[in-house]
Amino acid sequence: MKRHTFKKLMKAAIGLLALLLIVVGCSSKSSKQTTTASNGELEGEITVWHSFTQGPRLESIQKSADAFMKEHPKVKIKIETFSWNDFYTKWTTGLSSGNVPDLSTALPNQVMEMINSDALVPLNDSIEKIGKDRFSEKALGEAKIGDNYYSVPLYAHAQVMWLRKDLLEAKGIQVPKTWDQLFEASKKLTEGGVYGMSVPMGTNDFMGTRFLNFYVRSAGESLLTKDLKANLTSKVAQDGIKYWVNMYKEVSPKDSLNFNVLQQATLFYQGKTAFDFNSGFQIGGVNTNSPQLIDSIDAYPIPKVKESDKDNGIETSNVPMVVWKNSKHPEIAKAFMETLFEEKNYINFLNSTPVGMLPTISGISDKEEYKNNETRQKFQHAEQVITEAMQKGTAIGYENKPSVQAGIMTNQHIIEQMFQDIISNGTDPMEAAKAAEKQLNDLFETVVVSTK
């Protein structure tokens, strides 16, 4: 055989072999994809923790879980419900033993603590599937570390001022726009078994921190400085502390010294307070407890120190969902979470507490099923006030940036202890604030050291 003929045959053989390898490779790849598809059926049990204790929201999540399990018959979803306070205790104590869920809700200020504890997995893939461009970067950024997002905001709301229109009209009182106006109006309305306002300071909740944050933020300051130190001794913070102590003494039920968020809200639900601060959840609470008063309530912006002050954002909550690192089936947890954002599921969920929960993704609020909700139509003004407040505010302490320090400040209840010290022991506000500031900053230092 001639040399050049042999070379031609070899080249042809090599070419044929390469072609065969390509064909086999494609065939193998196709076969592998088919195997993955057939064996890729979701299978396993996950536990979901949430704090939707109200009936309609709880029922909505369960309905979505039932539908998911029907579509994926090898999946079991176990749902457990805890109050927000119990949830914090549950996950912080359960983390070391691995007694945490696969998927859960959380409060915005808690997520940074979870990330700091290396307890969560990134959710970039889920966000892309839902549609990253549908979320606001501000909401996603509350749990962003580097290029990773560790939570998905399920719904949003903001704190605003709620009031009884009928009580104000009876006394000829205008809607307060400043803190001094709120104090004067509250004094006039404290009579006949109704208090002007309840000022909650219970040490098992963060309501004292929330109320102080209202005052401080309205004046353009934050409870955390830019270098993430506690700010309780500035003039604005001291004015706010003294304001709420005075409000407590003059217009509030004395039991509110130990109130948590539910006890606080219940007084307004029952028609026993003229003013309160809360989100759109007030509507459902009043409708359940005192339906005869439902036409008498409305929402307005939180007061300022002076009417001419800049309209600062106060407190917005983008309530998120997170997937836990200990999960044996994160793919199931993510898949279920993603279905909650499917249009039908999502609108049904939001409509379980209309005005109380606002969408975190675009393309929902203009849907007829959303707009035509009877409660939304009735409380259009309130929803507009909340929406505007939501767009300007942040989670407490997140004004400069999301931080573990903000979570510690809201969850350790040191500010509430400070208020109780001032009221119960007569401690000077500045002295009590300095002690609270030191406690917080000492805790912050511990966190900074532990994360280096």
Side-chain angles (χ1 to χ4, degrees), residues 150-166:
Y150 287 86
S151 72
V152 180
L154 181 61
Y155 69 91
H157 61 71
Q159 295 290 307
V160 293
M161 180 175 68
W162 287 87
L163 54 78
R164 286 274 303 278
K165 295 182 295 183
D166 56 330

Side-chain angles (χ1 to χ4, degrees), residues 32-51:
K32 187 175 181 181
Q33 285 178 332
T34 304
T35 302
T36 302
S38 62
N39 293 339
E41 184 179 356
L42 295 176
E43 180 176 0
E45 179 176 344
I46 65 168
T47 298
V48 178
W49 288 0
H50 70 69
S51 297

